[in-house]
Amino acid sequence: MKIAFGSDHAGFALKEFLRDSFKFKGFEVIDLGTYYPTPADYPIYAKKVAGTVLSNNADFGVLICGTGLGMSITANKIAGIRAGLCMSVEYAELARKHNNANVICLGSRFIENDKALKIVEKFISTGFDGDKPNGERHKRRVAEIDEIL
Ligand code: RB5
């Protein structure tokens, strides 16, 4: 499994931590920046990660800024991206099960590294309920999202 990471300056330290943690666990990781803790504009990195997921060069994207809000607002403007701001393990599970989210956003200013790791682990290891028996409603709802635009 390949995971693409992106952050602004506020998410930089958490992005480095998560990238290294998943690399250590044997995942293929793609670091799309920022590569420095100096001020960086989050839309640049949201676009890079979204493009990498949409071109199937990554299975999932992880986007981190101070709140996770700027990243999720930006990523969700891009057709085909379903980005969820997940600040708990339960949200990460439901973002996958119900929304088939392909990008997870985190707010580094409101979360500890270890919790963020658990959240992303849950996100990437949970399947979409729409692909399971009795999950037709989730498939239909996600298809309704895709029809917009
Ligand atoms: C940067 O100060 C901050 O605005 C950014 O990281 C993010 O929280 C925006 O949504």
Side-chain angles (χ1 to χ4, degrees):
M1 182 186 287
K2 267 194 211 172
I3 312 170
F5 292 86
S7 76
D8 69 356
H9 55 290
F12 173 74
L14 180 56
K15 185 262 292 173
E16 300 279 295
F17 169 77
L18 290 174
R19 179 204 61 206
D20 291 349
S21 300
F22 282 98
K23 193 172 180 185
F24 184 74
K25 287 170 182 286
F27 289 88
E28 219 174 311
V29 300
I30 306 168
D31 184 351
L32 295 165
T34 183
Y35 303 115
Y36 312 98
T38 44
D41 295 345
Y42 57 82
I44 295 167
Y45 306 97
K47 275 172 70 179
K48 285 186 182 190
V49 167
T52 302
V53 170
L54 287 177
S55 60
N56 291 318
N57 286 312
D59 299 289
F60 294 111
V62 178
L63 285 170
I64 310 160
C65 62
T67 58
L69 289 167
M71 286 297 196
S72 54
I73 290 167
T74 309
N76 278 314
K77 288 198 76 168
I78 300 164
I81 291 297
R82 292 175 299 279
L85 173 54
C86 299
M87 295 298 280
S88 72
V89 169
E90 291 80 5
Y91 266 59
E93 184 174 13
L94 289 168
R96 289 288 308 128
K97 280 186 167 178
H98 288 190
N99 312 116
N100 201 15
N102 47 15
V103 171
I104 182 168
C105 302
L106 297 166
S108 62
R109 289 179 176 149
F110 300 92
I111 201 162
E112 300 296 328
N113 284 2
D114 286 354
K115 185 170 180 189
L117 181 58
K118 287 193 177 78
I119 289 172
V120 179
E121 278 174 342
K122 177 60 81 175
F123 186 81
I124 63 168
S125 62
T126 303
F128 176 41
D129 276 358
D131 292 331
K132 296 180 186 152
N134 303 319
E136 199 51 44
R137 66 191 185 285
H138 297 301
K139 209 172 198 157
R140 182 184 69 244
R141 289 164 188 163
V142 170
E144 286 172 19
I145 297 173
D146 290 339
E147 280 167 18
I148 299 169
L149 279 193

